[in-house]
Amino acid sequence: MPRIEVGTYVDQFITWLLRTVPGLFDAISVVMTALVDVIVLALARPSFVVWVVLLTLAALLVRGFGFALFTAVAFLLVAAMDLWEETMETLAVVLVAAVIATAIGVPLGIWAARRQGVSVVLRPILDFMQTTPVFVYLIPAVFFFGVGVVPGVVATTIFAIPPAVRLTELGIRGVDPEVVEAAHAFGAHPRQILREVQLPMARPSIMAGVNQVIMLALSMVVVAGLAGAGGLGSVVVTAVTQLDVAGGFEGGLAVVILAIYLDRLTAAMAQRPGRGLWARLRRRRAPATAVPPEDGEAPVGTPDADAPVPAGAGDPTVR
């Protein structure tokens, strides 16, 4: 059977792109580098104590005391291992990649949920993106952008897009059709239905997609370190090349701590009602009549159906 040179065609296409639009990749590289540098500067310039306090406060407000205690102890351990700067570099790469992947994936998921043809076209593309080995993403990224942080961000972004698309589409398609029909019956515009009905009801699924985007971005950290992305990925890669067990374990532990924090934080944002201090304060301030009834209970302020009715309560002649 004759061999089909698929890889040669791909290589020729990449070479053609480099010759045709070299300025585009230079511009992307400049923007990506500037974004990462600004976030790293904002994260690394203050003392680690300031950020430990802020991260602990965010954990307390969003999830509760137990998670706040874990956050304080875990990030103090990262600082004690002298990996704070590398952790902040990794966090900057993850934030940039996750924001870009979400900004691309969520609109595509909305489009796929509203157009069946778009969903049919996107499904095999997403399957291909999710099943392609992660190292393969680095090859064209290094060709386009050279060695450094930019190919790591680009490869991480591409690898993290599919869950945002899939879970956004799943969340919007899972909205009760009767609710959508009721909104149509009241004369709501399709954009209003999307903004005020479908997106709020699909929020848990969309936030689960954002959570998976962040987790996939973190899983690419070590692989991106091979392309010179820096951060904890470079720590682990250096430890592997030098057979440094202690350094590799410390770098891996810092990645795990960062992953657990971001996972629990984004998962808590998708919960209704929230379990953190902020959600408890809001529930305490809410009036009693605003509390939704539990299943099987009558709403607050309505008479009990089983309560005895006073004599003459429904008789108009009784004054």
Side-chain angles (χ1 to χ4, degrees):
M1 182 175 181
R3 187 175 186 273
I4 301 176
E5 301 288 343
V6 178
T8 303
Y9 299 144
V10 174
D11 179 64
Q12 292 175 354
F13 177 69
I14 292 176
T15 305
W16 175 80
L17 283 178
L18 288 173
R19 293 176 179 175
T20 306
V21 285
L24 174 63
F25 301 109
D26 292 338
I28 294 174
S29 180
V30 170
V31 172
M32 290 286 188
T33 303
L35 284 175
V36 174
D37 289 344
V38 168
I39 296 177
V40 169
L41 185 64
L43 293 174
R45 173 165 290 185
S47 172
F48 74 90
V49 178
V50 175
W51 279 112
V52 169
V53 171
L54 292 177
L55 294 173
T56 303
L57 181 60
L60 178 64
L61 292 176
V62 173
R63 197 168 181 95
F65 178 76
F67 184 53
L69 180 61
F70 164 80
T71 300
V73 173
F75 282 104
L76 286 175
L77 176 61
V78 170
M81 292 188 298
D82 200 21
L83 291 175
W84 183 260
E85 184 175 353
E86 290 81 359
T87 303
M88 294 300 102
E89 292 176 2
T90 298
L91 180 59
V93 171
V94 170
L95 288 177
V96 172
V99 168
I100 297 174
T102 303
I104 296 173
V106 171
L108 284 177
I110 295 173
W111 192 20
R114 296 168 69 89
R115 298 288 186 271
Q116 183 62 34
V118 176
S119 177
V120 171
V121 172
L122 284 180
R123 192 174 297 119
I125 297 175
L126 297 176
D127 292 339
F128 177 80
M129 293 173 65
Q130 285 187 298
T131 55
T132 300
V134 293
F135 288 97
V136 176
Y137 289 104
L138 286 180
I139 300 174
V142 172
F143 265 93
F144 287 137
F145 304 104
V147 176
V149 69
V150 177
V153 174
V154 172
T156 302
T157 301
I158 296 174
F159 184 65
I161 286 176
V165 180
R166 291 186 185 278
L167 290 174
T168 299
E169 180 185 0
L170 179 65
I172 293 179
R173 289 185 182 275
V175 174
D176 190 352
E178 295 183 357
V179 177
V180 178
E181 291 177 4
H184 275 296
F186 280 101
H189 192 273
R191 292 182 181 177
Q192 289 179 312
I193 296 174
L194 174 65
R195 185 176 63 252
E196 300 177 11
V197 177
Q198 291 176 313
L199 287 179
M201 297 185 71
R203 176 190 166 192
S205 182
I206 295 174
M207 288 303 300
V210 174
N211 176 276
Q212 291 303 304
V213 166
I214 294 174
M215 293 300 101
L216 288 180
L218 274 169
S219 70
M220 279 287 291
V221 165
V222 177
V223 178
L226 295 172
L232 296 172
S234 64
V235 173
V236 176
V237 170
T238 302
V240 170
T241 56
Q242 298 178 357
L243 297 179
D244 183 4
V245 177
F249 180 81
E250 290 177 354
L253 180 61
V255 173
V256 170
I257 289 173
L258 189 59
I260 292 175
Y261 178 79
L262 294 176
D263 175 66
R264 299 296 187 271
L265 195 68
T266 53
M269 291 179 180
Q271 292 177 351
R272 288 184 181 178
R275 298 191 300 172
L277 180 61
W278 178 249
R280 294 178 183 177
L281 291 175
R282 290 183 63 183
R283 286 196 293 268
R284 288 181 181 179
R285 291 179 181 177
T289 56
V291 178
E294 299 290 339
D295 294 339
E297 294 183 1
V300 176
T302 60
D304 191 352
D306 296 330
V309 180
D315 189 354
T317 61
V318 177
R319 295 289 185 264

